[in-house]
Amino acid sequence: MESLDFHTSRALLEWQMELGADECIVDAPVDRYALPDRLAKPKAKQEEAKPHLTKGPVALSERDAVAEARAAAEGAVTLEDLKAAMQAFDLCDLKRGARKMVFSDGIAGAPVMIIGEAPGREEDRSGKPFVGAAGQLLDRMFDAIGMGRNNPAAPLYITNILPWRPPHNRDPKPEEIAMMQPFLMRHIALADPKVLVVMGNWACQALLAKRGITRLRGQWTTAVDKPALPMFHPAYLLRNPPAKREAWVDLLSLRNAVDK
Ligand code: URA
C-alpha cells in the first residue's frame, strides 16, 4: 500500500471524525458491556507497560529536551550544521504538524539580524520567514530605510524564535521557546550580526525574558552580547496602522546605529 504523508493522513482522520468515527479499531474485539471482574486486571496491564519505560528506548517525556537542544546547537560550527541539527531535532511537537522547517532568509553575515516569532501559513508552505502579509510589510518598512533581505549593499538576515508553525498560529508555549532557545542563541552567534531587531512580544520573551512591547520598543538594550532593538511586530502594525509612526522612529534609530 502506498504510504500516506502526515497531512493526508490527518485530513483522512478528520474526515472520518466528521462522519462520527470516534474510536480506532483494534485487532481483538472489545466487550464494552463486560463486568469489571471480566476485564483484564489494570495492575497486570501496568506491569506490562512498565518495562517499556525502564528497559526500552527512553520515552520522549523522560528526555531533557533543553539539554539535548543545547548539545545539538553547540555541536554546530556553521549555519549549515545548525540547520541540519535543527532538522534532526525531534523533541519539539511543532515539527510534527509543520510542512517545512523555516530556518532563515536574507544574507548571512548581514549587519542586521531580525528575530521574529514563528512561521505562519505562508512561511510553512514556502520554508522562508516573513513571506506572508506581515512579511511584505516588513520588506516595505526596511526598504524605506534602504535595507532589504536581498539588498547586497545593505542586507538583512531574518529568522524566528521557532522554526515550525504552531497549529492554527497559536501563541508559542514557554516550553517550546525554552527548547528551541539554544538553537536561536547559536544561530545569532554564527550569523554574528552587528545588531539585533527583536520583533514583537514573543521574541522579547525569548531574548530579553521580558514582555510589554509597547514599553520596550525603541529602547536599545543588549541581547546575547549584541545591541538589540525591540520593535513592533509587522503583524501588529497591520492591525494597528497608527503604530507605524513609532515603527518609523525605530527604523531611523536602527539605520543610524548600523551606519555608525
Ligand atoms: N510572523 C513571524 O513572526 N515570523 C514569520 O516568519 C512570519 C510571520
Side-chain angles (χ1 to χ4, degrees):
M1 194 174 105
E2 208 181 307
S3 69
L4 297 173
D5 66 18
F6 172 87
H7 295 283
T8 314
S9 313
R10 187 158 83 174
L12 285 171
L13 276 174
E14 281 170 358
W15 176 66
Q16 293 193 18
M17 281 160 71
E18 264 176 40
L19 293 179
D22 57 5
E23 240 184 286
C24 300
I25 294 173
V26 290
D27 290 338
V30 179
D31 182 357
R32 301 282 177 213
Y33 299 100
L35 294 170
D37 63 343
R38 283 167 57 203
L39 292 172
K41 293 226 172 0
K43 198 156 181 255
K45 262 197 179 164
Q46 267 173 19
E47 273 159 12
E48 237 173 62
K50 245 187 190 166
H52 293 289
L53 287 179
T54 50
K55 293 192 192 138
V58 181
L60 285 187
S61 58
E62 289 185 2
R63 289 167 60 184
D64 183 341
V66 177
E68 290 196 30
R70 201 175 296 128
E74 279 166 10
V77 293
T78 64
L79 288 169
E80 277 309 305
D81 286 351
L82 184 69
K83 186 174 178 182
M86 288 167 70
Q87 252 150 357
F89 185 72
D90 270 332
L91 294 177
C92 183
D93 279 345
L94 294 177
K95 180 178 183 181
R96 274 174 264 286
R99 283 183 164 80
K100 289 201 176 143
M101 185 180 95
V102 176
F103 183 68
S104 69
D105 197 19
I107 301 179
V112 177
M113 181 169 182
I114 298 175
I115 320 271
E117 180 185 324
R121 195 178 48 167
E122 270 42 82
E123 292 77 16
D124 181 54
R125 292 204 168 143
S126 70
K128 287 188 177 181
F130 282 103
V131 293
Q136 287 160 25
L137 176 57
L138 179 137
D139 285 339
R140 290 199 298 279
M141 286 161 62
F142 283 85
D143 194 43
I145 53 162
M147 308 189 87
R149 61 178 102 191
N150 297 314
N151 178 349
L156 301 171
Y157 185 64
I158 308 177
T159 192
N160 284 308
I161 61 169
L162 297 177
W164 296 290
R165 181 191 185 199
H168 308 293
N169 295 347
R170 66 151 167 77
D171 286 343
K173 293 183 184 169
E175 60 270 27
E176 291 161 354
I177 297 179
M179 196 184 292
M180 299 314 293
Q181 203 186 30
F183 293 111
L184 177 62
M185 297 300 164
R186 192 78 188 130
H187 204 158
I188 295 169
L190 291 172
D192 196 21
K194 186 172 173 186
V195 300
L196 297 170
V197 174
V198 189
M199 283 285 183
N201 261 324
W202 291 106
C204 287
Q205 175 70 51
L207 283 172
L208 312 174
K210 284 183 191 158
R211 307 278 306 273
I213 191 64
T214 318
R215 228 179 339 102
L216 296 171
R217 64 138 280 277
Q219 310 288 325
W220 282 93
T221 180
T222 305
V224 205
D225 291 332
K226 308 258 178 213
L229 181 65
M231 282 186 63
F232 283 137
H233 193 287
Y236 172 80
L237 297 175
L238 287 174
R239 295 191 303 272
N240 297 280
K244 286 182 184 170
R245 182 198 300 255
E246 280 107 335
W248 177 240
V249 173
D250 298 346
L251 285 167
L252 294 177
S253 165
L254 175 72
R255 183 75 230 205
N256 200 29
V258 173
D259 290 343
K260 256 195 225 154

